[in-house]
Amino acid sequence: MRVAEIRRYPIKSMLGEAVPLADVGERGLAGDRLWAVRDLDGKLGSGKNTRRFRRMPGLFQLQAYATDRAPIVELPDGRRFAADDPVGHRAVSEVLGRTVTLAPEEAVLHHDEGPVSVITTAALRRLTELSGGEPGGMDVDPLRFRANLLIDVPGSGFPEDGWPGRRLQVGPDVVLRPVRPLTRCVMIDMAQDRPGERNDLLKTLAEYHELTFGVFATVERPGRVAAGHVCSWA
């Protein structure tokens, strides 16, 4: 097993960025989902409606990039603003068609379920097969699941189903403890960046895999992860 890709999302529910390496602490990847879009009621912008989140169509038109201070937001027309710039807040509000602000995390973490989200290439191959794709292919884009780590695992299946409770060492430093499968929502079928809109993936997971895909993990030992790092059981 090896790390195939590392992604972070500096502003929750916006498009994120692939990075060659990342520092990982108790909270997760440095800078990941540290900021969020908030509406006038204080709910966080998302692709779904819950007690904490409010569905805000248009978030996937916005790209976020991490910096040492506040993230940078890129609008569809190419303009860029710092996340703490009130002018940028007004520009983002115009794109979304509602009044919003961008704010850093406070007492409650912005993560949906846990600090580090993990998916595997084996599971992507299996979902491709279940959704009518070529056996052994990987037509389902990993971007749909907005995971922090894509782990290259040979074969086809859902190997991560057996990971909760074990200790996964990623590279020489980091040790993760997978906790439980990640429950998915309508966001995996939405168009975002290179993947176009679909209407079958959530139905397929509901039918064959109890609406779950990938796992979330807590961090037992912090450190740095890099693309290509070997993963093993600690």
Side-chain angles (χ1 to χ4, degrees):
M1 299 189 294
R2 290 183 181 272
V3 177
E5 189 173 76
I6 302 168
R7 284 192 171 268
R8 66 182 172 194
Y9 297 85
I11 302 178
K12 181 178 176 60
S13 297
M14 289 188 187
L15 300 180
E17 55 186 355
V19 293
L21 52 86
D23 292 320
V24 182
E26 182 179 347
R27 188 191 167 278
L29 273 65
D32 182 55
R33 296 169 170 92
L34 193 58
W35 287 63
V37 178
R38 291 182 180 272
D39 70 5
L40 294 176
D41 296 331
K43 288 195 173 186
L44 306 183
S46 177
K48 57 191 175 185
N49 288 311
T50 70
R51 181 179 59 82
R52 292 181 60 207
F53 306 131
R54 171 152 289 145
R55 187 170 185 270
M56 294 186 188
L59 284 172
F60 284 167
Q61 299 179 58
L62 304 169
Q63 185 97 32
Y65 303 92
T67 71
D68 291 338
R69 193 170 61 89
I72 298 297
V73 181
E74 183 175 316
L75 274 59
D77 61 10
R79 288 181 295 160
R80 290 188 172 198
F81 299 93
D84 59 357
D85 182 349
V87 175
H89 294 189
R90 290 193 290 272
V92 170
S93 297
E94 290 173 5
V95 171
L96 299 180
R98 66 175 71 220
T99 300
V100 299
T101 58
L102 281 71
E105 189 174 82
E106 295 176 344
V108 180
L109 298 182
H110 288 163
H111 301 298
D112 285 12
E113 297 193 56
V116 180
S117 53
V118 184
I119 62 174
T120 68
T121 56
L124 289 169
R125 294 186 195 99
R126 182 59 180 147
L127 184 54
T128 294
E129 295 164 2
L130 292 172
S131 59
E134 187 71 25
M138 206 168 75
D139 297 337
V140 178
D141 198 307
L143 279 179
R144 293 188 176 280
F145 300 95
R146 302 174 62 79
N148 296 129
L149 300 179
L150 172 62
I151 306 296
D152 189 13
V153 179
S156 171
F158 296 103
E160 61 271 30
D161 287 355
W163 291 5
R166 304 178 71 182
R167 299 172 75 245
L168 179 66
Q169 180 155 345
V170 183
D173 302 324
V174 174
V175 175
L176 304 177
R177 184 175 288 275
V179 176
R180 66 171 180 265
L182 281 161
T183 302
R184 297 299 175 172
C185 69
V186 294
M187 291 179 74
I188 66 171
D189 279 322
M190 294 179 181
Q192 53 172 307
D193 205 3
R194 63 180 184 243
E197 186 173 353
R198 294 183 64 150
N199 62 3
D200 61 326
L201 295 179
L202 192 63
K203 293 177 184 176
T204 300
L205 288 179
E207 182 175 358
Y208 293 102
H209 206 239
E210 299 181 334
L211 275 178
T212 66
F213 191 90
V215 293
F216 83 82
T218 56
V219 180
E220 285 211 349
R221 191 170 73 203
R224 177 168 288 184
V225 295
H229 269 170
V230 173
C231 305
S232 58
W233 297 111

